[in-house]
Amino acid sequence: MVIRELILKNFGKFQNRSFRLEEGINIIYGENESGKSTLHAFIQCMLFGLKKMRGRAARTDSYTRYTPWNNPSWYEGSIRFSCGGKDFRLERDFRRGEEGTKLVCESDGELLSVEDGDLEMLLGGISETVYENTVSIGQMKSRTGDALLLELRNYLSNYQESGDGKLNLDKALSILKERKKEWLNRLRIREQEQQAEEEKIRFEISYLEREAKELEGKLSEERKIREAGLKLAKERDRENAARTALTEREARVSKLKWRKIVPAVLLGDLLLWGILFFTAGFKAACVSAAVILIAAVLLCILAWYKTDQTQDQDTRDSVSKNGLGDDSRDHVRETEQTAGDSIRLLTAQLGEKRTRISNLQEELLELQMSASQGQGEAEEIRSIELAAQTIESLSVSAQESVGESLKNRISDIFCTMTRGKYNKVAIDEELKIDLFTKDRHVPLFMASQGTIEQVYLALRIAVGDIFCGEEPMPVLLDEVFAMYDEERMAETLRWLYREKEQTIIFTCNKREAEVLQKSGIPCHMVRLHP
């Protein structure tokens, strides 16, 4: 495979930028924070996709780290590469995952299917784990350490059916067993931490549910009180209205009485006048009757007026005392408003509790889903178990054959890079590495830092050659040569130019370009600017 062009439509700090690459050695040069590591990560994300983690892991995952600085909703890129004599274009919309992936063969215009494994076939079937532990080397990651065990484990699993074999054995099984114990311990610790976190969330949910239940009870009581208060106020209003009507009727009856008394007084006065007329004479009777009539009328009017005033005052007093009319209606409204305020407050508090409970339940579900996905430990344990089963199933002869072949390949690469200073590299089943010159044995820990870096680089390339035998992948080196002297860097670059179809070097200094120029090795330079 040869990468022809990187097109970063919107990825990290880059927007609408493209970079062309060539066969042979490519140097991507730039100062710190100019985007070299972003380009390195972009190639891996394009080839293997970019998954978004869940929960707390999402804060620091690659998806979040390389989210576009401008317009995060637009998160796309594409890469053009050659493979098997044909040109291809791979496009990805990282927000949509596999649904936003499109693979096109530009040589014949055919639209390929990533879901059906067409991209995996073009990559030679290697996994992302193998890729980042062999041909892709990040900053300060030449050493493999635990990653070497993973590489060999995957190697054994993938080549079980091919009969290629692996390294020799009982000790390898012992290593896997110890590693399994370590991962089981990590898994147990993580499960305990998760269980504690889940119990904490459940306790808070339980506490909030009790509070919500209490609020529901109070709310129910307030509604009953409101209904009872309104009912009582309405009954009181009806009673007051009845009393008002009764008082008004009594007043009207009293007035009617006086209307009957006045004519009676007048009739009595007329009878008195008649008696006086017949007994005392006409003149005396008239005078006496007139005086009596006037006095009686005045007394009736005065008594009627006082009685009417008394009845009106009694009516007003009754209205004031019993809260009739507008005062009664105001009382009803006041009762309803007071109860309504209390109900609204309790309803708001209950809504807050339920919202908090819902959020905690989502957090608990997310935590449980995160646990079900394994978070790495369970997957590692399964991989170790699978590796152990695979190891036990392979023949000893195949093991020795491939193990010896891998050792020879590492020795060949390393010895060439050191111009023959070392002639052999030995690796045992416990991953202990020893170096040999013509005259002496050198344990790896006694070698210089530059030599150690070269050994691990040779180890990665050798393992990568086995995995990528069907379709050699470009070698990506991010600040790998920092500890190399000029002579060893020149030999390493010369070997890469001769043996690898494409090498991409990410660097913040000009040493590599200067060494290539002195050695007469052509290269393609890409310059980045902060």
Side-chain angles (χ1 to χ4, degrees):
M1 171 186 285
V2 175
I3 298 174
R4 300 294 182 183
E5 185 177 11
L6 306 176
I7 305 171
L8 291 83
K9 297 179 181 178
N10 207 22
F11 188 91
K13 67 178 291 183
F14 294 103
Q15 187 175 80
N16 292 323
R17 294 288 303 275
S18 63
F19 303 93
R20 296 193 62 85
L21 301 174
E22 306 289 345
E23 296 182 13
I25 295 180
N26 296 264
I27 294 182
I28 298 180
Y29 168 78
E31 298 177 359
N32 293 333
E33 299 185 358
S34 61
K36 299 185 299 298
S37 296
T38 300
L39 280 180
H40 188 180
F42 175 76
I43 295 174
Q44 180 171 337
C45 293
M46 286 302 304
L47 295 179
F48 298 97
L50 183 56
K51 296 180 180 179
K52 185 176 182 179
M53 303 296 289
R54 299 180 61 87
R56 296 179 181 177
R59 302 174 186 173
T60 57
D61 65 357
S62 296
Y63 185 96
T64 302
R65 180 179 181 184
Y66 298 109
T67 297
W69 293 7
N70 298 316
N71 191 10
S73 61
W74 179 32
Y75 201 174
E76 298 182 33
S78 60
I79 184 173
R80 297 178 62 247
F81 62 93
S82 299
C83 184
K86 293 184 178 182
D87 296 327
F88 299 88
R89 184 180 72 255
L90 176 62
E91 303 174 358
R92 286 190 186 271
D93 182 345
F94 296 107
R95 298 171 306 157
R96 298 172 55 197
E98 292 299 328
E99 294 181 359
T101 304
K102 182 179 179 182
L103 178 62
V104 179
C105 178
E106 295 183 322
S107 298
D108 53 24
E110 181 182 3
L111 179 62
L112 305 177
S113 173
V114 175
E115 293 182 354
D116 292 339
D118 290 342
L119 177 59
E120 184 179 359
M121 181 182 64
L122 293 175
L123 296 177
I126 70 168
S127 66
E128 185 174 9
T129 301
V130 171
Y131 171 84
E132 59 186 13
N133 283 292
T134 55
V135 297
S136 178
I137 307 176
Q139 293 185 24
M140 307 300 292
K141 292 184 179 179
S142 291
R143 295 189 179 216
T144 56
D146 292 341
L148 178 59
L149 179 62
L150 177 62
E151 292 166 7
L152 294 177
R153 179 170 67 247
N154 290 338
Y155 164 68
L156 297 176
S157 300
N158 291 339
Y159 281 80
Q160 179 178 359
E161 297 180 357
S162 67
D164 286 344
K166 58 184 182 316
L167 296 174
N168 197 332
L169 232 17
D170 290 336
K171 292 185 178 180
L173 287 172
S174 177
I175 293 173
L176 292 178
K177 185 177 180 180
E178 291 300 321
R179 294 295 294 167
K180 181 180 178 180
K181 288 182 180 179
E182 293 178 9
W183 283 108
L184 284 171
N185 185 51
R186 295 183 189 180
L187 180 60
R188 186 183 69 258
I189 293 174
R190 186 178 64 78
E191 288 178 344
Q192 291 174 349
E193 293 175 348
Q194 172 145 355
Q195 184 178 1
E197 185 69 20
E198 290 181 4
E199 289 178 354
K200 178 182 176 183
I201 295 174
R202 288 194 181 97
F203 176 80
E204 188 171 355
I205 290 175
S206 177
Y207 180 77
L208 289 171
E209 286 177 341
R210 288 196 300 272
E211 288 189 333
K213 189 173 181 180
E214 291 176 0
L215 287 173
E216 288 174 352
K218 292 180 180 179
L219 186 59
S220 178
E221 291 178 3
E222 286 294 333
R223 285 172 176 164
K224 290 179 181 179
I225 292 173
R226 179 187 181 187
E227 292 175 358
L230 291 175
K231 183 177 179 181
L232 180 62
K234 290 178 180 178
E235 290 177 353
R236 181 180 177 184
D237 191 46
R238 286 194 296 269
E239 291 176 359
N240 292 338
R243 289 173 183 164
T244 301
L246 179 60
T247 304
E248 291 176 350
R249 284 197 301 271
E250 291 175 351
R252 286 195 296 271
V253 170
S254 177
K255 290 178 180 180
L256 289 174
K257 289 179 180 180
W258 281 108
R259 289 192 184 101
K260 293 178 181 180
I261 292 173
V262 171
V265 171
L266 292 177
L267 182 59
D269 186 65
L270 183 61
L271 291 174
L272 180 62
W273 182 81
I275 294 169
L276 291 174
F277 175 77
F278 285 106
T279 58
F282 176 78
K283 184 176 181 181
C286 288
V287 173
S288 300
V291 171
I292 293 170
L293 177 61
I294 292 171
V297 169
L298 291 174
L299 289 173
C300 288
I301 292 172
L302 180 59
W304 192 358
Y305 175 78
K306 288 184 177 181
T307 302
D308 188 58
Q309 289 294 323
T310 301
Q311 293 295 334
D312 289 343
Q313 184 62 39
D314 291 342
T315 301
R316 287 192 295 271
D317 291 343
S318 177
V319 171
S320 176
K321 181 179 180 180
N322 297 305
L324 299 177
D326 293 338
D327 290 342
S328 180
R329 287 190 292 272
D330 290 343
H331 177 70
V332 172
R333 285 195 293 269
E334 182 180 355
T335 301
E336 184 175 2
Q337 182 177 358
T338 302
D341 291 342
S342 179
I343 289 174
R344 282 190 291 273
L345 177 60
L346 289 172
T347 302
Q349 292 176 346
L350 181 59
E352 291 177 358
K353 300 294 182 185
R354 287 174 174 170
T355 300
R356 178 57 180 161
I357 290 172
S358 177
N359 292 338
L360 287 172
Q361 288 173 340
E362 290 181 2
E363 185 176 346
L364 180 61
L365 179 60
E366 185 175 317
L367 193 63
Q368 292 171 341
M369 291 178 63
S370 176
S372 66
Q373 293 174 356
Q375 295 293 318
E377 293 88 350
E379 183 178 352
E380 287 292 336
I381 293 171
R382 288 193 296 270
S383 298
I384 292 172
E385 291 173 345
L386 177 60
Q389 294 172 3
T390 304
I391 288 174
E392 291 172 350
S393 66
L394 296 175
S395 66
V396 175
S397 59
Q399 300 166 13
E400 295 177 349
S401 173
V402 175
E404 196 64 30
S405 175
L406 179 60
K407 294 175 186 178
N408 291 337
R409 180 59 175 161
I410 296 172
S411 296
D412 179 64
I413 296 171
F414 179 69
C415 293
T416 302
M417 289 180 177
T418 58
R419 300 186 68 177
K421 180 177 180 179
Y422 295 91
N423 56 11
K424 185 179 180 181
V425 177
I427 303 178
D428 64 14
E429 293 79 357
E430 295 180 352
L431 308 182
K432 179 183 176 182
I433 299 176
D434 292 295
L435 309 178
F436 294 88
T437 66
K438 294 179 179 179
D439 303 322
R440 64 191 184 96
H441 158 237
V442 181
L444 185 62
F445 70 89
M446 294 181 62
S448 66
Q449 188 64 37
T451 299
I452 294 173
E453 294 290 321
Q454 281 184 302
V455 170
Y456 281 113
L457 176 60
L459 176 59
R460 281 177 171 269
I461 292 175
V463 176
D465 287 346
I466 294 175
F467 285 111
C468 306
E470 297 182 3
E471 185 58 48
M473 298 287 291
V475 177
L476 282 68
L477 308 175
D478 193 351
E479 301 290 0
V480 168
F481 300 111
M483 303 302 297
Y484 285 45
D485 58 38
E486 184 173 323
E487 181 179 350
R488 291 193 178 184
M489 183 191 298
E491 289 300 326
T492 302
L493 292 172
R494 187 176 291 110
W495 184 92
L496 290 169
Y497 177 74
R498 182 175 64 252
E499 298 290 335
K500 294 298 176 182
E501 192 171 7
Q502 185 180 44
T503 301
I504 304 173
I505 300 172
F506 301 86
T507 181
C508 64
N509 58 67
K510 300 180 180 179
R511 289 182 65 223
E512 291 86 350
E514 292 172 353
V515 169
L516 287 169
Q517 185 177 7
K518 289 181 181 180
S519 303
I521 302 173
C523 71
H524 175 69
M525 179 73 73
V526 176
R527 296 180 181 272
L528 301 178
H529 302 283

